[in-house]
Amino acid sequence: MLTQTPVCCPVLESPLTDEEAESTARVFRALADPARVKLLSLVAANPDGEMCVCGLTEPLGLSQPTVSHHLKVLVDAGLLHREKRGTWAWFRVNHDAIAAASAALR
Amino acid sequence: MLTQTPVCCPVLESPLTDEEAESTARVFRALADPARVKLLSLVAANPDGEMCVCGLTEPLGLSQPTVSHHLKVLVDAGLLHREKRGTWAWFRVNHDAIAAASAALR
DNA sequence: CTTCTATATTGACAGATTTCGATTGATCTG
DNA sequence: CAGATCAATCGAAATCTGTCAATATAGAAG
């Protein structure tokens, strides 16, 4: 259960408050696992810009529940967008959130 | 004991290999804790561009060994540079590494 | 050489994370 | 409705992480 949407704050400009540091670290924590980094790159690299779980399980070499878990972490962090269409769940990269994370390090 | 220097790879361009994903996640893992994000911002915001452990323990509200631990994680990830001068250890932000992490998300 | 001071390391513990198998829920198809 | 398929959730095991107190190390000062 997510209580608030994570927001990335500029890290190098001025000392962050506890809340800002917590919120920023939350986003980077979502990027702190190789499986999730790979998931992001797989979804982003797909020509259609979206993929379903069924297309992600095999290239990751992890079980379906594990992939589902990692996708949830990315969605909760705001880095992926999930859309359920019929039985399938389609994921797209949230480029705004990624850009915010990138900008936080400049 | 660090076996290899972490390298950030562009996440959104093409699917990453296992090694690239591992290496990239390692850098973000260093940013995945509020104490370390705060440490980075404290060092970066300091006019001199460097700080010693003694100046970082109090604003973090953590014990000296814990701060020392977090600083080691940041140094191992290449995000901070440590220079021992006498009894003091001075830390500077490695702006190249930070820029690489930022660029990996573009 | 002894003492003091600043960091680093060790050891221990609690809590979080990763992972899977089994199950559930939801939707499509016959 | 019955069966099949895709994804999410649950429960549990193993591992990793953050934290501190205690100790070690290394340089500075007397």
Side-chain angles (χ1 to χ4, degrees), chain A residues 21 39 41 54 61 68:
Chain A
L39 278 175
S41 86
C54 57
S68 204

Side-chain angles (χ1 to χ4, degrees), chain B residues 14-61:
Chain B
S14 57
L16 299 177
T17 65
D18 288 353
E19 292 73 22
E20 291 168 335
E22 175 63 55
S23 179
T24 303
R26 198 174 331 206
V27 175
F28 288 122
R29 190 154 53 231
L31 295 165
D33 184 277
R36 293 195 287 270
V37 169
K38 218 172 168 187
L39 278 174
L40 266 187
S41 85
L42 281 168
V43 175
N46 203 49
D48 301 339
E50 62 180 7
M51 291 191 73
C52 65
V53 181
C54 55
L56 294 167
T57 302
E58 186 257 322
L60 239 69

Side-chain angles (χ1 to χ4, degrees), chain B:
Chain B
M1 213 61 61
L2 190 64
T3 52
Q4 55 175 322
T5 306
V7 175
C8 262
C9 303
V11 173
L12 304 181
E13 281 177 13
S14 57
L16 299 177
T17 65
D18 288 353
E19 292 73 22
E20 291 168 335
E22 175 63 55
S23 179
T24 303
R26 198 174 331 206
V27 175
F28 288 122
R29 190 154 53 231
L31 295 165
D33 184 277
R36 293 195 287 270
V37 169
K38 218 172 168 187
L39 278 174
L40 266 187
S41 85
L42 281 168
V43 175
N46 203 49
D48 301 339
E50 62 180 7
M51 291 191 73
C52 65
V53 181
C54 55
L56 294 167
T57 302
E58 186 257 322
L60 239 69
L62 294 173
S63 72
Q64 174 266 317
T66 300
V67 173
S68 202
H69 161 71
H70 286 306
L71 287 167
K72 178 174 164 49
V73 172
L74 288 167
V75 168
D76 286 350
L79 299 174
L80 277 187
H81 176 258
R82 163 190 280 130
E83 187 187 348
K84 203 78 184 282
R85 290 208 294 272
T87 316
W88 285 263
W90 295 91
F91 295 87
R92 280 197 308 281
V93 171
N94 183 349
H95 288 281
D96 287 350
I98 303 268
S102 176
L105 299 178
R106 277 193 285 106

Side-chain angles (χ1 to χ4, degrees), chain A residues 36-52 56 71 74 79-81 90-95, chain B residues 11-12 14-15:
Chain A
R36 293 196 287 269
V37 169
K38 218 172 169 186
L39 278 175
L40 265 187
S41 86
L42 282 168
V43 174
N46 204 48
D48 300 338
E50 60 179 8
M51 292 192 73
C52 65
L56 294 167
L71 287 168
L74 288 167
L79 299 174
L80 278 186
H81 176 256
W90 295 92
F91 294 87
R92 280 197 310 280
V93 172
N94 182 350
H95 288 281
Chain B
V11 173
L12 304 181
S14 57

Side-chain angles (χ1 to χ4, degrees), chain A residues 52-63:
Chain A
C52 65
V53 181
C54 57
L56 294 167
T57 303
E58 187 257 323
L60 239 69
L62 294 172
S63 72

